[in-house]
Amino acid sequence: MMNENEIWINADIADRYGLKSGDFIKLQNPDGIISNKIKVKATERIRTDCVYMVHGFGHNSKMLKRAYMKGASDSQLITKYKTDPLMGGTGMNVNFVTFVTEV
Amino acid sequence: MARFVMVIDTKKCVGCMDCVVACKTENDVPEGFNRDWIVQDVNGKFPSLNMEIRSERCNHCDNPPCVTCCPTGASHVHDLGGVVLVEYNECIGCKACIASCPYDARFVNPEGYADKCTFCIHRVEKGEDPACVSVCPTHCMYFGDIEDPNSKVSLLLKQRKYHNLKPEAGTKPHIYYLV
Protein backbone atom coordinates (compact mmCIF):
# COMPACT_ATOMS: atom_id res chain seq x y z
CA MET A 1 0.00 0.00 0.00
CA MET A 2 2.85 2.38 -0.75
CA ASN A 3 4.45 4.00 -3.75
CA GLU A 4 8.01 3.56 -2.56
CA ASN A 5 9.80 2.25 0.52
CA GLU A 6 11.63 4.48 2.98
CA ILE A 7 14.73 3.90 5.07
CA TRP A 8 13.79 4.16 8.78
CA ILE A 9 16.64 5.83 10.66
CA ASN A 10 16.62 6.57 14.40
CA ALA A 11 15.90 10.28 14.85
CA ASP A 12 19.10 10.99 16.82
CA ILE A 13 21.25 9.18 14.25
CA ALA A 14 19.55 11.06 11.43
CA ASP A 15 20.38 14.32 13.23
CA ARG A 16 23.97 13.25 13.58
CA TYR A 17 24.25 12.73 9.82
CA GLY A 18 22.29 15.90 9.04
CA LEU A 19 19.44 13.91 7.55
CA LYS A 20 15.74 14.64 7.84
CA SER A 21 12.59 12.90 6.68
CA GLY A 22 12.08 13.31 2.95
CA ASP A 23 15.78 13.53 2.09
CA PHE A 24 17.08 10.95 -0.38
CA ILE A 25 20.21 8.89 0.27
CA LYS A 26 21.82 5.75 -1.09
CA LEU A 27 23.02 2.85 1.04
CA GLN A 28 26.41 1.19 0.62
CA ASN A 29 27.52 -2.16 2.01
CA PRO A 30 31.08 -3.39 2.81
CA ASP A 31 31.18 -5.34 -0.49
CA GLY A 32 30.81 -2.08 -2.39
CA ILE A 33 27.19 -2.51 -3.44
CA ILE A 34 25.35 0.81 -3.64
CA SER A 35 21.57 0.84 -3.63
CA ASN A 36 19.14 3.04 -5.55
CA LYS A 37 18.25 6.25 -3.82
CA ILE A 38 15.71 5.88 -1.06
CA LYS A 39 13.68 8.36 0.97
CA VAL A 40 14.69 8.92 4.61
CA LYS A 41 12.19 8.47 7.45
CA ALA A 42 13.70 9.86 10.65
CA THR A 43 11.76 8.19 13.46
CA GLU A 44 11.81 7.25 17.13
CA ARG A 45 10.46 3.84 16.15
CA ILE A 46 13.83 2.16 15.60
CA ARG A 47 17.00 1.64 17.61
CA THR A 48 20.16 3.58 16.95
CA ASP A 49 22.20 0.70 15.51
CA CYS A 50 19.73 -0.44 12.84
CA VAL A 51 17.99 0.87 9.76
CA TYR A 52 14.85 -0.67 8.29
CA MET A 53 13.25 -0.75 4.86
CA VAL A 54 10.22 -2.59 3.53
CA HIS A 55 11.19 -5.46 1.26
CA GLY A 56 10.14 -5.60 -2.38
CA PHE A 57 11.14 -2.25 -3.87
CA GLY A 58 14.04 -0.96 -5.97
CA HIS A 59 13.12 -2.83 -9.14
CA ASN A 60 15.20 -2.03 -12.16
CA SER A 61 13.11 -3.57 -14.94
CA LYS A 62 11.45 -0.92 -17.09
CA MET A 63 8.65 -3.38 -17.78
CA LEU A 64 7.47 -3.04 -14.15
CA LYS A 65 5.99 0.33 -14.96
CA ARG A 66 4.61 1.14 -11.52
CA ALA A 67 7.59 -0.25 -9.61
CA TYR A 68 10.51 0.78 -11.82
CA MET A 69 13.14 2.64 -9.78
CA LYS A 70 10.79 3.27 -6.86
CA GLY A 71 12.63 2.90 -3.54
CA ALA A 72 15.59 0.62 -2.93
CA SER A 73 16.19 -3.13 -2.71
CA ASP A 74 17.19 -4.63 0.62
CA SER A 75 18.05 -7.96 -0.98
CA GLN A 76 20.58 -6.23 -3.24
CA LEU A 77 22.48 -5.17 -0.12
CA ILE A 78 22.46 -8.63 1.48
CA THR A 79 25.63 -10.02 -0.08
CA LYS A 80 26.94 -11.92 2.95
CA TYR A 81 24.91 -15.00 3.83
CA LYS A 82 25.27 -18.71 4.52
CA THR A 83 22.81 -21.33 3.31
CA ASP A 84 21.96 -24.45 5.32
CA PRO A 85 22.94 -27.45 3.11
CA LEU A 86 19.97 -29.55 4.27
CA MET A 87 16.92 -27.26 4.28
CA GLY A 88 18.10 -24.11 2.52
CA GLY A 89 17.51 -21.68 5.36
CA THR A 90 19.68 -18.57 5.21
CA GLY A 91 21.65 -16.67 7.83
CA MET A 92 21.62 -13.03 6.72
CA ASN A 93 22.09 -11.13 9.98
CA VAL A 94 25.62 -10.02 9.15
CA ASN A 95 24.93 -7.27 6.63
CA PHE A 96 25.71 -3.64 7.32
CA VAL A 97 25.28 -0.36 5.49
CA THR A 98 26.61 3.16 5.55
CA PHE A 99 24.84 6.23 4.18
CA VAL A 100 25.82 7.81 0.89
CA THR A 101 24.44 11.32 1.07
CA GLU A 102 25.30 12.50 -2.46
CA VAL A 103 22.61 11.14 -4.79
CA MET B 1 -34.50 11.80 14.27
CA ALA B 2 -31.37 9.76 13.90
CA ARG B 3 -27.77 10.93 14.27
CA PHE B 4 -25.23 8.64 12.68
CA VAL B 5 -21.78 8.27 14.17
CA MET B 6 -18.82 5.93 13.94
CA VAL B 7 -17.08 4.46 16.96
CA ILE B 8 -13.65 2.99 16.32
CA ASP B 9 -11.75 0.90 18.86
CA THR B 10 -8.09 1.98 18.54
CA LYS B 11 -7.05 -0.91 20.77
CA LYS B 12 -8.21 -3.37 18.12
CA CYS B 13 -7.20 -1.52 14.96
CA VAL B 14 -4.03 -2.98 13.47
CA GLY B 15 -3.74 -0.52 10.59
CA CYS B 16 -4.29 -3.20 7.95
CA MET B 17 -5.95 -0.68 5.59
CA ASP B 18 -8.78 -3.04 4.58
CA CYS B 19 -11.10 -0.10 5.29
CA VAL B 20 -9.15 2.05 2.82
CA VAL B 21 -9.35 -0.59 0.10
CA ALA B 22 -13.03 -1.29 0.75
CA CYS B 23 -13.89 2.40 0.49
CA LYS B 24 -11.96 2.86 -2.74
CA THR B 25 -13.69 -0.16 -4.25
CA GLU B 26 -17.20 0.64 -3.05
CA ASN B 27 -17.08 4.32 -3.98
CA ASP B 28 -14.83 4.21 -7.07
CA VAL B 29 -12.46 6.69 -5.47
CA PRO B 30 -10.04 8.00 -8.12
CA GLU B 31 -6.42 6.88 -8.04
CA GLY B 32 -4.22 9.04 -5.83
CA PHE B 33 -7.06 10.16 -3.57
CA ASN B 34 -8.59 8.76 -0.40
CA ARG B 35 -11.88 9.16 1.41
CA ASP B 36 -10.38 7.37 4.40
CA TRP B 37 -6.83 6.68 5.51
CA ILE B 38 -4.76 5.19 8.34
CA VAL B 39 -2.80 7.34 10.78
CA GLN B 40 -0.05 5.91 13.01
CA ASP B 41 0.21 8.50 15.77
CA VAL B 42 3.49 7.85 17.64
CA ASN B 43 4.57 9.78 20.72
CA GLY B 44 7.60 9.69 23.00
CA LYS B 45 11.30 9.13 22.66
CA PHE B 46 12.88 5.76 21.88
CA PRO B 47 12.48 3.39 23.66
CA SER B 48 9.52 4.80 25.64
CA LEU B 49 6.99 5.05 22.86
CA ASN B 50 3.26 4.72 22.50
CA MET B 51 1.23 4.59 19.34
CA GLU B 52 -2.41 5.00 18.43
CA ILE B 53 -3.52 3.63 15.07
CA ARG B 54 -6.60 5.34 13.68
CA SER B 55 -8.75 4.94 10.61
CA GLU B 56 -9.67 8.55 9.78
CA ARG B 57 -12.24 10.09 7.44
CA CYS B 58 -14.71 12.98 7.34
CA ASN B 59 -16.05 13.48 10.86
CA HIS B 60 -19.56 14.50 9.74
CA CYS B 61 -19.42 17.33 12.23
CA ASP B 62 -22.37 18.96 13.98
CA ASN B 63 -20.80 22.33 13.26
CA PRO B 64 -19.26 21.71 9.82
CA PRO B 65 -17.14 24.60 8.49
CA CYS B 66 -17.27 22.97 5.06
CA VAL B 67 -21.02 23.60 4.93
CA THR B 68 -20.96 27.17 6.23
CA CYS B 69 -18.29 28.23 3.75
CA CYS B 70 -19.89 26.68 0.66
CA PRO B 71 -21.02 29.48 -1.71
CA THR B 72 -23.57 27.37 -3.60
CA GLY B 73 -24.97 25.15 -0.85
CA ALA B 74 -23.63 22.05 -2.64
CA SER B 75 -22.03 21.07 0.66
CA HIS B 76 -24.95 20.37 2.97
CA VAL B 77 -26.25 18.33 5.87
CA HIS B 78 -28.42 15.43 4.70
CA ASP B 79 -31.95 15.08 6.19
CA LEU B 80 -31.04 11.66 7.51
CA GLY B 81 -28.58 11.20 10.33
CA GLY B 82 -26.67 14.50 10.20
CA VAL B 83 -24.46 13.13 7.41
CA VAL B 84 -22.52 15.86 5.57
CA LEU B 85 -22.75 15.39 1.81
CA VAL B 86 -21.80 17.20 -1.42
CA GLU B 87 -24.32 17.61 -4.23
CA TYR B 88 -21.78 17.17 -7.02
CA ASN B 89 -23.83 18.89 -9.73
CA GLU B 90 -24.02 22.06 -7.66
CA CYS B 91 -20.37 22.15 -6.66
CA ILE B 92 -18.34 24.76 -8.55
CA GLY B 93 -14.97 23.49 -7.36
CA CYS B 94 -14.05 26.69 -5.53
CA LYS B 95 -12.16 24.65 -2.89
CA ALA B 96 -13.28 26.79 0.06
CA CYS B 97 -14.42 23.61 1.81
CA ILE B 98 -11.08 21.90 1.18
CA ALA B 99 -9.38 24.75 2.99
CA SER B 100 -11.93 24.96 5.78
CA CYS B 101 -11.80 21.34 6.95
CA PRO B 102 -9.46 21.00 9.94
CA TYR B 103 -9.19 17.25 9.30
CA ASP B 104 -8.13 17.50 5.62
CA ALA B 105 -10.98 15.11 4.89
CA ARG B 106 -11.91 16.57 1.49
CA PHE B 107 -10.20 16.38 -1.86
CA VAL B 108 -10.87 17.68 -5.34
CA ASN B 109 -12.21 14.89 -7.53
CA PRO B 110 -10.60 15.10 -11.01
CA GLU B 111 -14.14 15.48 -12.40
CA GLY B 112 -14.16 18.94 -10.78
CA TYR B 113 -16.07 18.72 -7.52
CA ALA B 114 -15.28 18.39 -3.83
CA ASP B 115 -15.38 14.79 -2.64
CA LYS B 116 -15.15 12.97 0.71
CA CYS B 117 -16.54 10.18 2.85
CA THR B 118 -20.33 9.93 2.63
CA PHE B 119 -20.75 7.37 5.45
CA CYS B 120 -21.76 5.17 2.47
CA ILE B 121 -25.23 6.70 2.76
CA HIS B 122 -26.29 4.65 -0.29
CA ARG B 123 -25.63 1.50 1.77
CA VAL B 124 -26.97 2.89 5.06
CA GLU B 125 -30.30 3.75 3.44
CA LYS B 126 -30.61 0.05 2.57
CA GLY B 127 -29.87 -0.95 6.16
CA GLU B 128 -26.23 -1.93 5.54
CA ASP B 129 -23.10 -0.69 7.28
CA PRO B 130 -20.60 1.55 5.47
CA ALA B 131 -18.11 -0.47 3.41
CA CYS B 132 -15.19 0.22 5.75
CA VAL B 133 -17.11 -0.98 8.81
CA SER B 134 -18.30 -4.14 7.10
CA VAL B 135 -14.85 -5.36 6.01
CA CYS B 136 -12.82 -4.61 9.14
CA PRO B 137 -11.11 -7.92 10.04
CA THR B 138 -10.75 -7.05 13.74
CA HIS B 139 -14.34 -5.75 13.93
CA CYS B 140 -13.06 -2.57 15.55
CA MET B 141 -15.41 -0.25 13.70
CA TYR B 142 -19.03 0.44 14.63
CA PHE B 143 -21.64 2.56 12.88
CA GLY B 144 -24.99 3.55 14.33
CA ASP B 145 -27.42 6.07 15.76
CA ILE B 146 -26.19 7.91 18.83
CA GLU B 147 -29.72 9.14 19.51
CA ASP B 148 -30.80 5.55 20.11
CA PRO B 149 -29.68 4.85 23.69
CA ASN B 150 -29.67 1.09 23.02
CA SER B 151 -27.55 1.16 19.86
CA LYS B 152 -24.11 -0.44 19.97
CA VAL B 153 -22.45 2.92 19.43
CA SER B 154 -24.34 4.52 22.34
CA LEU B 155 -23.52 1.63 24.65
CA LEU B 156 -19.82 1.70 23.73
CA LEU B 157 -19.60 5.42 24.41
CA LYS B 158 -21.15 4.85 27.83
CA GLN B 159 -18.83 1.96 28.69
CA ARG B 160 -15.46 3.04 27.31
CA LYS B 161 -13.17 6.07 27.39
CA TYR B 162 -12.85 7.82 24.04
CA HIS B 163 -11.59 10.93 22.32
CA ASN B 164 -12.41 12.98 19.21
CA LEU B 165 -10.03 14.69 16.83
CA LYS B 166 -9.23 18.38 17.26
CA PRO B 167 -12.05 19.21 19.70
CA GLU B 168 -10.52 22.68 19.97
CA ALA B 169 -11.61 23.39 16.39
CA GLY B 170 -15.22 23.61 17.60
CA THR B 171 -16.55 21.43 14.79
CA LYS B 172 -18.23 18.84 17.06
CA PRO B 173 -16.94 15.82 15.13
CA HIS B 174 -18.84 12.54 15.22
CA ILE B 175 -16.15 9.93 14.86
CA TYR B 176 -15.27 8.60 18.32
CA TYR B 177 -12.01 6.80 19.00
CA LEU B 178 -12.12 4.33 21.93
CA VAL B 179 -8.89 4.19 23.93
Side-chain angles (χ1 to χ4, degrees):
Chain A
M1 298 284 294
M2 56 182 80
N3 196 38
E4 58 186 309
N5 60 353
E6 296 174 309
I7 185 80
W8 290 37
I9 305 177
N10 176 278
D12 293 340
I13 300 293
D15 270 343
R16 191 194 294 177
Y17 283 85
L19 298 172
K20 42 184 209 313
S21 293
D23 289 348
F24 279 86
I25 61 170
K26 294 184 178 182
L27 303 163
Q28 178 167 14
N29 81 358
D31 288 337
I33 304 288
I34 303 182
S35 74
N36 292 349
K37 62 178 169 65
I38 180 173
K39 193 191 277 189
V40 169
K41 177 187 169 98
T43 175
E44 296 290 344
R45 295 167 72 181
I46 192 169
R47 23 183 308 153
T48 50
D49 56 0
C50 304
V51 292
Y52 164 76
M53 55 205 281
V54 174
H55 177 74
F57 289 85
H59 290 283
N60 47 26
S61 165
K62 285 205 185 74
M63 307 278 269
L64 299 171
K65 290 201 221 49
R66 284 184 191 271
Y68 178 61
M69 294 303 263
K70 298 273 173 68
S73 166
D74 62 317
S75 37
Q76 182 194 32
L77 294 162
I78 297 176
T79 48
K80 287 197 184 351
Y81 62 94
K82 290 259 191 247
T83 310
D84 183 291
L86 277 180
M87 48 70 88
T90 41
M92 299 182 275
N93 268 5
V94 291
N95 288 276
F96 300 87
V97 292
T98 51
F99 305 143
V100 176
T101 45
E102 299 84 49
V103 296
Chain B
M1 262 321 287
R3 185 50 172 110
F4 294 138
V5 306
M6 254 190 218
V7 174
I8 302 177
D9 191 345
T10 67
K11 287 293 176 208
K12 290 223 190 108
C13 175
V14 294
C16 74
M17 300 199 202
D18 275 9
C19 52
V20 178
V21 176
C23 173
K24 287 201 79 125
T25 312
E26 174 73 24
N27 295 296
D28 227 3
V29 180
E31 214 182 291
F33 298 98
N34 289 92
R35 290 187 175 191
D36 66 347
W37 58 92
I38 294 292
V39 170
Q40 294 178 336
D41 188 3
V42 182
N43 293 296
K45 182 115 186 91
F46 181 84
S48 317
L49 298 171
N50 58 68
M51 175 165 77
E52 182 176 81
I53 307 181
R54 295 189 297 267
S55 171
E56 293 190 2
R57 58 191 48 65
C58 165
N59 286 271
H60 297 277
C61 304
D62 261 350
N63 187 16
C66 58
V67 170
T68 30
C69 75
C70 177
T72 64
S75 184
H76 64 281
V77 181
H78 191 45
D79 344 323
L80 177 63
V83 179
V84 177
L85 297 175
V86 179
E87 187 55 60
Y88 302 141
N89 295 325
E90 292 173 16
C91 173
I92 57 171
C94 75
K95 304 190 197 123
C97 62
I98 314 279
S100 75
C101 177
Y103 309 105
D104 288 326
R106 291 180 170 231
F107 61 93
V108 184
N109 188 302
E111 312 253 301
Y113 52 80
D115 208 351
K116 67 179 192 67
C117 163
T118 59
F119 265 176
C120 280
I121 194 71
H122 60 285
R123 288 173 58 102
V124 172
E125 278 168 355
K126 289 190 288 191
E128 295 166 352
D129 272 337
C132 54
V133 173
S134 52
V135 301
C136 176
T138 60
H139 305 291
C140 76
M141 298 178 69
Y142 304 86
F143 176 87
D145 180 4
I146 203 179
E147 283 177 3
D148 171 3
N150 299 314
S151 67
K152 186 70 181 158
V153 290
S154 296
L155 294 173
L156 279 168
L157 293 177
K158 274 203 276 277
Q159 293 157 356
R160 301 268 306 264
K161 287 204 182 69
Y162 59 85
H163 74 100
N164 297 106
L165 298 181
K166 300 202 184 169
E168 68 276 8
T171 50
K172 304 212 188 84
H174 277 262
I175 309 270
Y176 297 85
Y177 294 96
L178 303 177
V179 297

